[in-house]
Amino acid sequence: MAAFNIPGPICVSTYPGIDRGTNTLVCTPPPSSVGASYKKSHQERVPRLSAMARRIAIRDALALAISLLQDKQQDLDNWDRDTHISFLRWFGTDTPEARAIIQERIAKSIAKLQRLNVDDFIMEAQLPHNYYAYVRPGKWERGEYERIVHLGPAFDGADSVTRAGTLVHEVSHFRTVDNTDDIKSTFVGMPRGDRRMYGYTRARRLASQSPQNALKNADNFEFFIEGHDPRSEGDFETEGVGDFPQEKTRSRS
C-alpha cells in the first residue's frame, strides 16, 4: 500500500483486494487519538467530476444509501427466508439479540444520513487517486460532531451502489451510529499480511468463526445492507487450505 499519512487509525477499503469486485478493508495502527476510515479502489486512474456533477452524485448516493437501509429495515421486520439466510451469511447468527443490534444500527444510520447534506461532504483532491472516503469518528469538524465525510478522488469514478455502500460503511464507524470497527482476526491457511476481515471471503469466514465480531465488522454490515450473495454473483472465493482452496496470487497496492 502506498504511503500516505492521515492522523489516526487508518481504515481502508480496496478493490479488488482478496476478492473480485468487493470492498476490502485494511487498517494501520493509530499514530494519534484521531480516528479515521477511508476507502480505496483498484482503479489506476479515475474520472474527475465537475463540482456540480459531484454534488449530484453525492445527493444520489445519500438517497440510495437511505433507500437500501430502509429496504433492509423492512426485510428484518418481515424476517422472510431470504433475509434470514442473508443475515446468517454475513453475521453467523440469527438470535433476536443480534437482529436487534442490526436493526438499531440501521435506524441510527438512516437518521445520520438524513441529517447530512451535500455540503457535509468534502472532496480531498490531494488524497491518492484510489481513495473513496474517510471519516473521523468521535471528532468535531467545522463545528459539527461526526457529520463530515471526506471524499477521495475514486468516489468520482464509482458506480451508484458503490457510492451508496461507501456511505453506509463510513457512517457506521461513527460513535453516534454504532462505532463499528474493521476487525482483525486470522484463520488456518490465511496468507501472511494484513489480518483485517475485509472482503467477501474474510467477512464470511468471520461470520462463521466469530458472530460477535462479524456483528461489529463494518464490511459485514455493508454487504448485508447491499444484499450481496457471493454464490449467485459468482464472486465468492476462499483462502487457505483443506476445504478452503488456495487462491491464486494477486498483486496488491
Side-chain angles (χ1 to χ4, degrees):
M1 184 171 62
F4 190 85
N5 294 324
I6 295 177
I10 305 304
C11 307
V12 187
S13 295
T14 66
Y15 289 86
I18 298 300
D19 306 319
R20 292 192 306 271
T22 70
N23 287 342
T24 63
L25 299 171
V26 180
C27 294
T28 59
S32 75
S33 61
V34 179
S37 66
Y38 59 92
K39 293 233 169 207
K40 187 180 174 187
S41 84
H42 72 289
Q43 299 170 344
E44 290 303 317
R45 290 292 181 270
V46 293
R48 293 296 181 90
L49 299 176
S50 67
M52 181 58 68
R54 186 178 298 116
R55 290 179 69 87
I56 293 172
I58 294 168
R59 182 200 63 193
D60 291 348
L62 272 170
L64 181 54
I66 292 169
S67 178
L68 289 171
L69 288 161
Q70 290 173 333
D71 288 347
K72 198 60 68 173
Q73 189 177 50
Q74 185 63 54
D75 289 342
L76 287 172
D77 288 339
N78 295 335
W79 198 236
D80 58 21
R81 181 176 180 275
D82 288 343
T83 303
H84 191 176
I85 291 172
S86 181
F87 197 93
L88 280 171
R89 176 182 301 124
W90 294 118
F91 301 119
T93 179
D94 60 356
T95 65
E97 293 79 9
R99 288 164 57 189
I101 288 171
I102 298 305
Q103 285 175 312
E104 182 177 4
R105 185 183 301 163
I106 288 174
K108 288 184 176 180
S109 295
I110 291 171
K112 176 67 71 174
L113 290 168
Q114 287 177 334
R115 287 190 62 213
L116 302 185
N117 58 58
V118 174
D119 293 328
D120 293 319
F121 294 81
I122 302 173
M123 173 54 64
E124 304 287 1
Q126 80 281 5
L127 288 173
H129 63 83
N130 51 4
Y131 284 70
Y132 277 102
Y134 70 87
V135 294
R136 291 191 170 100
K139 297 299 176 183
W140 289 82
E141 297 182 80
R142 301 199 309 183
E144 300 286 351
Y145 180 72
E146 292 194 334
R147 185 164 172 166
I148 304 302
V149 178
H150 301 263
L151 300 179
F155 185 87
D156 284 0
D159 59 57
S160 59
V161 174
T162 299
R163 289 171 180 162
T166 296
L167 302 191
V168 169
H169 181 109
E170 298 301 332
V171 300
S172 77
H173 283 309
F174 284 141
R175 297 176 185 177
T176 47
V177 175
D178 203 16
N179 196 29
T180 61
D181 201 354
D182 301 311
I183 298 297
K184 190 174 183 179
S185 187
T186 188
F187 50 81
V188 174
M190 185 172 171
R192 291 183 177 180
D194 190 87
R195 298 299 187 184
R196 297 292 168 172
M197 294 291 101
Y198 55 76
Y200 284 157
T201 297
R202 297 187 183 190
R204 287 291 305 277
R205 286 300 301 260
L206 185 64
S208 67
Q209 71 182 19
S210 179
Q212 181 178 2
N213 282 329
L215 285 166
K216 195 68 174 176
N217 195 45
D219 249 16
N220 289 68
F221 180 60
E222 179 181 348
F223 293 150
F224 175 68
I225 297 301
E226 291 179 343
H228 286 296
D229 183 350
R231 297 171 304 174
S232 64
E233 295 173 5
D235 282 332
F236 182 58
E237 298 176 0
T238 54
E239 293 180 289
V241 296
D243 59 336
F244 292 89
Q246 188 67 44
E247 185 186 0
K248 294 180 180 179
T249 302
R250 288 195 179 90
S251 62
R252 298 182 64 189
S253 58

